[in-house]
Every structure is written in C-alpha cells, then in structure tokens.
C-alpha cells in the first residue's frame, strides 16, 4: 500500500472518485429528499423491508443476486451487517417519519369518507398534529377533495432532517453495486463515510480538486478523516490531474457527445448544455465517457423529470461546482406525488435552479432552448414536473424526448409548430417498464389493485409511438437512448434485457420503420460522438 499523502502535498481527486449521497443510509433520490414522500417511503417501504431482511437474510441475498429478480424488494447485505440493519430499522421506526406518514394516510382516508362537496372548514380540526399548518384542503371542479402540501415550509420544518445526510466516498473499480432503491449503504473496506448535509460546500471543495489541486491536509480536515480511514482517504487522490485534454471545445463549431443513458453534452461556441446527467464513476476501457471528459463549465443542465435515472443526485452533486443553471420542470404545487424538483435541488445546495413549463424559452448566444410537453411514463398520475427540450445551437435543432410517448399524435404537431424541423431526435423506448406500485406504492393510502398497477406502467414509446414522434417532428436522424442498458446504470435501473425482451424487439421494429422512410436511426450505448 502506498504511503498516505503528507498534509502539505497538493492533490487531485482521482477521476474515478465515486460519491453516494445518503439519507438515513439510503441512496438519495427525489422521494427520499422531499419531506412527506420521504416519510412515506421510509415508513411503508424501508422499515418493513429491513425487518423482512432480519427475518430471512439468506433469502434476501439470494433473491437480490438472482438476475431474474433484479430490482425486486430485497436487501443485499451480508450477515455481518445484521446489527447495523437492526439499529437502522429501530431508529427509523422510532423517529418522526412514521408519524408523518400515518398522518398523511389518515387525512387522505378521512377526506375520501367525509368530504362531500360542502365547506371544508370543519375538516381542519381533524388534521393530524404532524401535518397541522402544512396543508390546505381543497376541491377540484368535480368536488373531489385533495390535500395541498406547503412543501417549501416542510423543508424548513423538523420533517427535513439534515442530520440524516451523509456521503460515501470510494474509488469505482467496476460497475457492480447493490440495488440502490432497497439496500442501505454502511461503512466498509475501501469506503469513507462522512456525516454532513448534502448541501455542504465541502462536496464542491472535494470535486473541484479534479482540476484544481488542494493541500491534502485541508481536505482531510474538511472531512474529519480519522487515522483509521487515513490510508483509504489518501487513496482517493493523485498528484496528477485526470482531466481529458479535449474536454473543452476550443473555438467555433458544434460538438454533441453521448455519455450514457439520457445524458448528452452539447457544446457550441461559448455555451455547454447537458441533459439528464448520469455518468459512470468507473473509467471503463474506452467504452464510455466519464467525468474526466466533461468540460470545465456546464452552463445549463436540463432535467426532464424526477425519476432517479434522470434526476441522478450523485452525478449532480459531483458537478454542482461547475454548473451555471439547472433547469427543471415546474410542479403542480403541493401534490404528494409531484414534489418540486426545484425545492429538492435548492435544499441540496444548488444556487441557480429555474423551473419551467412547456412553451417557455431560454435564449442562447446562437439559438435557444424551448421547453416542450412530456406525456406519459408516470403511470397516469397527475404529475406536472416533466418536460422535454429542444436545443437549437450550432446550426442544429436537437430534441431530447426522454421517455415521452406519442399517445396523441396531435401533440407532436403542436411541438413541431413551436420548434420546427428536428435534426436529431433522442427518444426513450423502455416500453415495458415497472408497474405503478414499484415506484409510487408507498404514496398510496389504500391497497393498490395489482391488475390495475400492472396496467399503469413506467413506459416510454413503443415502435409505433416513436415513429409517430419522428414523423411529426420531421426528424432527420433518430437516436434511441435512456434504455438503461449501460452496466453502470444497473444499481438504479435494475434492467435485465434478453434477446427476447419486448423493448428490444420494439426498438428493432422502430429502426426498420425509420429505414423504410430513409431516416437514419440507431441505439446509443456507452459513448458516441454525434457531431
């Protein structure tokens, strides 16, 4: 083992330095950050799952590691973690989150029973204490009562507990990790964990050293590294910077690089635009672009929606110090199932976050970003925080469709009216996704009918829908992305494709349809230079 750096040594973070942002030891995502969805996920999913693991740890491990059950509700930990799991389950069960979760369920059920279209004022006296002063009771135009949460106030309340935040640091030497949605992260060999709010600027200090060297002693002091962790912490750094020499585009022109999943970096002149950042921590063997290949400044990050493979908080936190503005879709204020992406990111320390809705534009020096509608992929729930984008720059018009669906072809006629003909269309075709209960189950206050759940899936476009988008946008080229096939996505996506997978057959059919009309089309995987 190499000797640890001396305090005065100038060091750079290694390009494969991995960060896992944790909340109560779980990998952070939108519904574990926003206070009420977080309470319901911890109380109704994670505590029962931890207790189930304690009852049958071997069964959980075996199931979690079975490729056919990938993404299932199993905890992937060894028996030497049983005491930690027991302690975590007890702390979560004894904390304030079960009270808040139960309060939301109680209020929802009472409103369904008692709200009859008449004055709701008497119902305020029946609001459970944990929610008092944080909700408004309202009707829609069909006299259906609903709860509007004061989400910003909840972020300022005891229900947003930053003492539960921490970061896990390690060197990524491969892509294998336990499934993030079910398995908590405990300290282990090769890992250094530090308790700190996820908004803490020490995270920026750490990752800024990828390009700007800092004294090792300053970093050790900032993260309060013990003697026991000193060698591991020192191994996260190098005396040499790791940035790629061509990461910045010098001079005029256009460069479009695919970094995996729905992450595309567009550089034109002085402006860099990045979509749905989700990067590999591991360096790979020429099969991927990674952090070392990113430009020093990212002017705009465009987020299409809040699912954990598009609003990927680990990647965003590592890049926070070099991002100018994060653009996110605007939520329908106060809906439990539609937490604010802006409030989430602001709570995590991002200084410049703007929320937008379809029809808005952002001007660029040589073009503009146009915000477009996004329909589907959210299990028919009333979720407004989802958009797609047209980026017109460098003489090209690029459409980033994420998991948009062409369920009503007229929509894409209207989008074409806004943005014109498209040079490159990026479309998601994960057209047989997880059921309603997989992601949103903990937010329901009633038992979900499983037939209904399976009918309402997290689906992107199939071949017919994708072709409808290409035709109506008059796309000159089409790219299928956001399929979750890259190996570094599995710990979040849990995809398990085979040659017989419906999604891949639909993608092949789409390519044939494009070929029939003379539109070049292909799947993006790993890395690609497109312009």
């Amino acid at each position: 083992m190499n000797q640890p750096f001396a305090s005065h040594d100038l060091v750079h973070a290694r390009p494969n330095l991995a960060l896992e942002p944790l909340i109560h030891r779980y990998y952070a995502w939108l519904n574990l950050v926003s206070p009420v969805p977080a309470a319901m996920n911890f109380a109704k999913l994670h505590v029962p799952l931890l207790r189930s693991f304690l009852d049958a740890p071997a069964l959980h491990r075996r199931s979690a590691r079975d490729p056919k059950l990938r993404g299932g509700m199993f905890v992937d930990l060894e028996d030497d973690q049983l005491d930690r799991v027991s302690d975590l389950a007890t702390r979560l069960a004894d904390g304030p989150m079960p009270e808040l979760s139960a309060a939301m369920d109680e209020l929802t059920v009472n409103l369904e029973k008692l709200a009859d279209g008449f004055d709701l004022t008497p119902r305020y006296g029946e609001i459970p204490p944990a929610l008092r002063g944080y909700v408004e009771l309202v009707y829609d135009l069909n006299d259906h009562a609903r709860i509007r949460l004061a989400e910003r106030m909840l972020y300022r309340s005891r229900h947003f507990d930053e003492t539960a935040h921490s970061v896990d640091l390690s060197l990524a030497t491969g892509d294998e990790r336990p499934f993030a949605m079910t398995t908590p992260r405990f300290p282990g060999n090769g890992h250094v964990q530090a308790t700190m709010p996820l908004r803490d600027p020490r995270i920026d200090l750490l990752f800024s050293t990828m390009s700007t060297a800092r004294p090792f002693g300053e970093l050790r002091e900032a993260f309060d590294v013990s003697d026991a962790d000193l060698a591991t912490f020192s191994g996260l750094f190098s005396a040499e910077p790791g940035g790629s020499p061509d990461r910045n585009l010098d001079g005029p022109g256009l460069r479009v690089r695919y970094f995996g999943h729905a992450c595309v970096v567009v550089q034109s002149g002085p402006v860099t635009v990045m979509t749905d950042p989700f990067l590999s921590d591991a360096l790979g063997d020429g099969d991927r672009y990674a952090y070392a290949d990113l430009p020093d400044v990212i002017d705009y990050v465009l987020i299409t929606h809040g699912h954990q493979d598009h609003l990927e908080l680990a990647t965003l936190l590592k890049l926070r110090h070099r991002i100018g503005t994060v653009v996110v879709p605007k939520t329908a204020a106060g809906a439990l199932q539609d937490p604010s992406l802006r409030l989430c990111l602001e709570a995590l320390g991002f200084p410049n976050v703007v929320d937008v809705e379809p029809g808005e534009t952002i001007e660029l020096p040589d073009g503009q970003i146009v915000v477009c509608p996004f329909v589907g992929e959210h299990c028919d729930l009333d979720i407004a925080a989802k958009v797609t984008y047209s980026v017109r720059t460098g003489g090209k018009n690029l459409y980033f469709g994420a998991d948009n669906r062409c369920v009503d072809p007229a929509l894409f006629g209207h989008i074409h009216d806004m943005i014109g003909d498209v040079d490159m269309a990026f479309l998601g075709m994960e057209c047989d996704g997880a059921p309603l209960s997989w992601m949103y189950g903990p937010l329901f206050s009633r038992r979900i009918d499983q037939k209904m759940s399976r009918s309402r899936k997290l689906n992107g476009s199939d071949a017919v829908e994708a072709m409808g988008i290409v035709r109506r946008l008059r796309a000159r080229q089409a790219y299928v992305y956001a399929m979750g096939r890259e190996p570094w996505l599995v710990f979040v996506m849990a995809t398990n494709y085979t040659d017989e997978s419906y999604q891949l057959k639909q993608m092949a059919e789409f390519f044939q349809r494009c070929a029939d009309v003379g539109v070049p089309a292909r799947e993006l995987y790993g890395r690609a230079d497109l312009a």
Side-chain angles (χ1 to χ4, degrees), residues 98-136:
E99 179 190 7
L100 182 59
S101 176
M104 194 68 191
D105 283 343
E106 179 184 340
L107 183 56
T108 300
V109 171
N110 284 345
L111 276 184
E112 289 178 351
K113 289 179 179 178
L114 301 175
D116 52 7
F118 288 85
D119 179 22
L120 285 170
T121 303
R123 304 277 80 85
Y124 280 85
E126 300 163 1
I127 295 174
L131 284 171
R132 287 279 176 92
Y134 295 118
V135 298
E136 181 182 10

Side-chain angles (χ1 to χ4, degrees), residues 299-335:
D299 298 284
Y300 293 98
V301 164
L302 309 182
I303 303 296
T304 56
H305 60 297
H307 291 163
Q308 67 273 18
D309 57 318
H310 293 263
L311 184 73
E312 209 281 308
L313 297 179
T315 298
L316 285 168
L317 286 169
K318 289 177 68 171
L319 298 177
R320 186 171 61 190
H321 67 283
R322 65 171 93 174
I323 294 172
T325 301
V326 184
V327 182
V328 300
K330 189 174 295 183
T331 185

Side-chain angles (χ1 to χ4, degrees), residues 342-359:
R342 178 179 176 180
L343 291 180
C344 170
L345 291 178
E346 287 178 345
L348 299 185
F350 289 82
N352 299 307
V353 185
V354 298
D355 51 7
V356 295
E357 56 190 345

